Amino acid sequence: MVVLGRKALLLIISLIPGIVLSDTATIDTWPVFKIGFHVNSFPDLTLSDSKHTLDFLTEELGKFSKLKVSNIAYSDIRKMRDDFQLGVFNFVILPPLTIIKHYNTELLRGGINATASNHSLDALQLITRKNSGIDSISALQGKRVSLLENGSFSEFYLETLVSRISNIEMSHFFSNIDKQKKSQRLIFKLFFNQTDAIVVYRSQCSLAIEMNPQIGKEFQVIKQLENIPRGIGFFHKDVSEKIREYIILQVLKFQDSVRGQQLLEILKADQFKRSYLSDLQAVNDLFFDNRHTK
């Protein structure tokens, strides 16, 4: 009697009319999508928000498509980097500056990015009130400025702008540096003249203006850094191109589902798009500019 191999047996069963393979019969062959993220790295998301968002993605995307999805939360960025290098997880989500500072980009391959306002990338803006007389960085000396509490990139950008025109430390250049948990809170503070300048992403300001057009009449952008991803995801280079492409296509399909739309709403994004290493270029240039001016 001939003993059939498991794969041959499964193939024969799948061809018999009325017989359907269950998910449990093939789940061991599903591609692994294991996400690593840093809990302190995302502006506008609290620690619990970021964890719940990734748990939501893990559960719902896993249901939607044939992927074994999981996530690992890290508080130690160095431990996270080391685990990524060792292959403990195969997809990293981080703000771009953190990637530039801590990761070897040669280990990265294109992935996925959540974008807003139909732009592939966002812009970081330094905004003041119109008719305030604050039309340049130098005019901000001795003034109040407000930033996101978890917005290390906003602070880094502002520090670079100050260092281009002055040898004074940023903490002494401004009369007060105030930090808020949400971009909307920053926008309201400037609108009600409780601060002199804010640093926010264009997409967040555009959303506020849609809700209250008067904000657009009161604000002016005095500096802007274009082509900046708010947060971005990349695969490890050891994930095959075939599997990367399959996972990306599943995520792009998922965004059109009810749960996918709910996830985008949580992320305050309009859609998922492909990410490329070239998306890091503007942040990389700013990083070296900062080092040079210092």
Side-chain angles (χ1 to χ4, degrees):
M1 186 175 80
V2 177
V3 178
L4 293 173
R6 181 172 181 268
K7 289 184 178 179
L9 181 60
L10 287 173
L11 178 61
I12 292 172
I13 293 172
S14 67
L15 294 175
I16 299 175
I19 301 294
V20 179
L21 284 174
S22 68
D23 285 346
T24 53
T26 58
I27 192 170
D28 58 326
T29 64
W30 291 3
V32 175
F33 188 30
K34 189 175 288 188
I35 304 165
F37 71 101
H38 190 247
V39 293
N40 294 318
S41 288
F42 290 97
D44 290 312
L45 288 180
T46 64
L47 300 183
S48 60
D49 284 345
S50 59
K51 183 69 172 83
H52 290 157
T53 299
L54 266 295
D55 286 344
F56 181 88
L57 172 63
T58 296
E59 181 178 356
E60 297 302 331
L61 181 59
K63 290 178 183 176
F64 179 84
S65 58
K66 292 185 176 180
L67 290 171
K68 289 190 283 187
V69 189
S70 61
N71 71 77
I72 307 174
Y74 289 88
S75 56
D76 184 339
I77 193 64
R78 291 176 177 81
K79 168 65 173 171
M80 181 179 176
R81 175 197 61 200
D82 294 344
D83 279 0
F84 182 70
Q85 291 174 343
L86 293 171
V88 174
F89 59 95
N90 60 10
F91 188 82
V92 59
I93 301 177
L94 282 172
L97 182 62
T98 305
I99 292 176
I100 295 297
K101 280 184 173 182
H102 298 285
Y103 279 69
N104 177 3
T105 56
E106 292 183 0
L107 295 178
L108 306 177
R109 295 295 183 270
I112 307 157
N113 185 24
T115 65
S117 303
N118 295 318
H119 293 287
S120 296
L121 299 171
D122 214 325
L124 196 60
Q125 298 179 324
L126 175 60
I127 300 174
T128 62
R129 290 175 60 89
K130 292 179 180 177
N131 304 316
S132 65
I134 304 174
D135 304 318
S136 65
I137 299 296
S138 57
L140 270 171
Q141 186 168 355
K143 304 295 184 181
R144 303 164 297 173
V145 67
S146 297
L147 306 168
L148 276 171
E149 190 173 87
N150 289 333
S152 60
F153 185 55
S154 299
E155 190 168 348
F156 186 81
Y157 176 51
L158 190 60
E159 178 188 70
T160 306
L161 293 177
V162 170
S163 66
R164 288 173 181 171
I165 65 163
S166 173
N167 291 324
I168 303 173
E169 289 289 329
M170 191 171 77
S171 58
H172 299 298
F173 186 86
F174 300 104
S175 63
N176 183 61
I177 300 176
D178 169 61
K179 296 188 177 181
Q180 298 292 326
K181 291 183 178 180
K182 300 284 186 178
S183 293
Q184 296 305 306
R185 178 59 186 157
L186 293 178
I187 292 167
F188 289 143
K189 286 202 70 171
L190 183 61
F191 184 73
F192 291 111
N193 205 24
Q194 296 171 354
T195 189
D196 297 307
I198 59 174
V199 180
V200 293
Y201 284 96
R202 177 175 56 200
S203 59
Q204 296 292 73
C205 195
S206 297
L207 180 62
I209 292 172
E210 284 180 19
M211 297 173 64
N212 183 358
Q214 186 62 32
I215 290 174
K217 297 177 182 179
E218 298 289 338
F219 286 5
Q220 63 179 1
V221 178
I222 64 171
K223 281 289 182 181
Q224 178 169 281
L225 185 64
E226 292 274 7
N227 299 321
I228 303 299
R230 289 166 58 192
I232 196 163
F234 292 107
F235 286 99
H236 193 284
K237 70 175 183 63
D238 289 344
V239 179
S240 72
E241 183 178 357
K242 182 178 179 180
I243 291 178
R244 291 200 310 267
E245 185 65 17
Y246 177 80
I247 293 174
I248 290 171
L249 288 176
Q250 292 307 309
V251 174
L252 295 180
K253 291 177 183 177
F254 174 65
Q255 71 180 331
D256 294 325
S257 68
V258 173
R259 293 301 193 188
Q261 289 297 307
Q262 289 176 343
L263 177 63
L264 286 169
E265 187 175 340
I266 293 171
L267 295 171
K268 295 180 174 63
D270 294 322
Q271 59 185 312
F272 291 109
K273 289 190 174 182
R274 293 174 183 269
S275 63
Y276 305 92
L277 288 176
S278 58
D279 294 341
L280 298 174
Q281 189 60 54
V283 180
N284 191 58
D285 292 344
L286 183 73
F287 179 71
F288 283 99
D289 184 16
N290 180 278
R291 293 178 62 182
H292 176 71
T293 54
K294 281 189 174 182

